[in-house]
């Protein structure tokens, strides 16, 4: 009997210890769950809109991967810059045009730089500006003082338009230009920019002049006209001699000077009209003047 009671006490004590361990383990699990709940950020329930947005962004990224990327392509063939080369003949036609500087900048010319062993040497050069020089010179059937600022590699200089060649670049000249640009750290033009400049040249060929454009061309041409200067000098001389005659009371001589001044005035008016017709025909290509100007 005592033995059985002792066994029961041991059994109850053992069960108590087990229950106590289970209770402690359970409390530890509950505490850990509570800590996790406190640290965990609240989750939003997925909505139709967010799902659609995710699908859309995923679709956009897939489209971007499938779409061809725009590649920057540099000039690497002679023919690419040859199509935006300006010849001397073309510059002779455009020298007094209002769009010259806008169209010319970014184009290329074949420029003579001298001779070597009796042979003319030329270089590929980019036009970076149009300016006026100190010298007035004959250019085609007109006179001008215009020059161009050219760049070959990193070097720039101003030359007169008469130094431009009518011939296309040679392969040797093109390769020399590429080597110079590479050696001096100058980037070659983009094919995209060449195409845009080619479009500018085509627009310039179809440019429709207005009356004010023609008037501006005539004013620029007459700036360097020798006849205009001679007339102004002769007019000043006749006026001075007329005043001397009038001061002496010699009316007959003064009247003779008046008639001569009138004749010269009529001559210059007639010359200006002829000049207008010639300039208008050259500028318009013998086309009619339109009420508005096409863009260049």
């Amino acid at each position: 009997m005592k033995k059985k009671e002792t066994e029961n006490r041991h059994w109850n004590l053992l069960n108590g210890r087990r229950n106590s361990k289970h209770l402690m383990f359970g409390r530890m699990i509950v505490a850990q769950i509570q800590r996790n709940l406190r640290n965990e950020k609240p989750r939003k329930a997925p909505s139709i809109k967010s799902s659609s947005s995710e699908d859309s962004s995923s679709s956009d990224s897939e489209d971007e991967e499938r779409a061809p990327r725009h590649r920057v392509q540099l000039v690497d063939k002679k023919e690419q810059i040859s199509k935006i080369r300006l010849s001397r003949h073309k510059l002779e036609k455009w020298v007094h045009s209002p769009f010259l500087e806008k169209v010319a900048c970014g184009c290329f010319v074949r420029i003579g730089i001298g001779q070597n062993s009796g042979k003319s040497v030329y270089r590929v050069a980019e036009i970076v500006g149009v300016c006026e020089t100190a010298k007035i010179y004959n250019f085609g059937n007109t006179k001008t003082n215009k020059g161009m600022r050219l760049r070959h590699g990193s070097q720039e200089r101003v030359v007169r338009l008469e130094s431009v060649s009518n011939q296309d670049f040679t392969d040797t000249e093109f390769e020399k230009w590429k080597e110079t640009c590479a050696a001096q750290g100058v980037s070659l033009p983009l094919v995209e920019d060449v195409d845009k400049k080619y479009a500018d040249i085509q627009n310039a060929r179809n440019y429709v002049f207005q009356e004010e454009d023609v008037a501006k061309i005539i004013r620029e041409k007459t700036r360097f006209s020798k006849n205009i200067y001679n007339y102004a000098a002769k007019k000043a001389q006749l006026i001075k001699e007329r005043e001397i005659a009038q001061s002496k009371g010699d009316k007959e001589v003064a009247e003779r000077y008046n008639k001569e001044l009138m004749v010269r005035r009529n001559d210059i008016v007639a010359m200006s009209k002829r000049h207008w017709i010639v300039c208008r025909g050259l500028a318009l290509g013998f086309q009619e003047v339109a009420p508005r100007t096409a863009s260049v």
Side-chain angles (χ1 to χ4, degrees), residues 277-296:
I277 293 172
V278 172
C279 290
R280 188 173 186 272
L282 290 174
L284 306 180
F286 302 102
Q287 297 177 358
E288 292 297 328
V289 178
R292 61 179 180 176
T293 305
S295 62
V296 177

Side-chain angles (χ1 to χ4, degrees), residues 100-293:
L100 174 64
E101 183 170 10
K102 180 179 179 181
V103 175
C105 290
C107 290
F108 286 81
V109 291
R110 183 174 184 250
I111 192 74
I113 62 171
Q115 290 191 340
N116 184 19
S117 301
K119 293 184 179 180
S120 298
V121 180
Y122 295 89
R123 290 287 184 264
V124 177
E126 181 183 0
I127 303 173
V128 295
V130 176
C131 59
E132 291 190 352
T133 66
K135 182 178 178 59
I136 299 172
Y137 59 95
N138 293 322
F139 187 57
N141 61 353
T142 186
K143 291 179 179 292
T144 186
N145 68 340
K146 288 185 178 177
M148 296 183 302
R149 180 170 292 278
L150 303 181
R151 179 169 61 204
H152 178 78
S154 62
Q155 299 178 347
E156 295 185 7
R157 68 169 178 165
V158 175
V159 301
R160 295 200 293 265
L161 307 182
E162 61 184 357
S163 302
V164 175
S165 171
N166 281 319
Q167 304 302 317
D168 196 2
F169 311 117
T170 64
D171 293 335
T172 303
E173 292 163 359
F174 177 73
E175 292 300 327
K176 174 66 175 177
W177 169 69
K178 286 178 59 179
E179 292 173 3
T180 303
C181 289
Q184 298 178 358
V186 177
S187 177
L188 298 180
L190 299 177
V191 173
E192 181 180 358
D193 293 337
V194 170
D195 292 339
K196 290 179 180 178
K197 184 52 61 176
Y198 178 75
D200 288 344
I201 295 175
Q202 299 307 309
N203 289 335
R205 288 176 174 173
N206 301 321
Y207 186 88
V208 182
F209 290 78
Q210 291 185 343
E211 292 289 348
E212 54 267 29
D213 293 326
V214 179
K216 183 178 180 181
I217 291 174
I218 290 178
R219 286 195 302 270
E220 187 166 332
K221 277 178 168 283
T222 54
R223 284 177 58 196
F224 311 113
S225 174
K226 187 175 181 180
N227 291 332
I228 297 295
Y229 291 138
N230 289 342
Y231 170 78
K234 186 63 177 178
K235 178 182 176 182
Q237 181 182 354
L238 290 173
I239 291 175
K240 183 177 180 179
E241 292 177 352
R242 183 187 63 182
E243 291 175 350
I244 294 174
Q246 288 174 344
S247 65
K248 292 180 178 181
D250 194 342
K251 295 183 179 180
E252 184 178 350
V253 175
E255 185 62 26
R256 187 172 70 247
Y257 286 137
N258 277 334
K259 290 181 179 180
E260 190 171 351
L261 282 169
M262 185 62 66
V263 170
R264 291 188 175 275
R265 186 179 297 112
N266 293 336
D267 289 344
I268 198 65
V269 169
M271 185 184 68
S272 297
K273 287 182 178 179
R274 290 194 301 270
H275 201 56
W276 171 277
I277 293 172
V278 172
C279 290
R280 188 173 186 272
L282 290 174
L284 306 180
F286 302 102
Q287 297 177 358
E288 292 297 328
V289 178
R292 61 179 180 176
T293 305

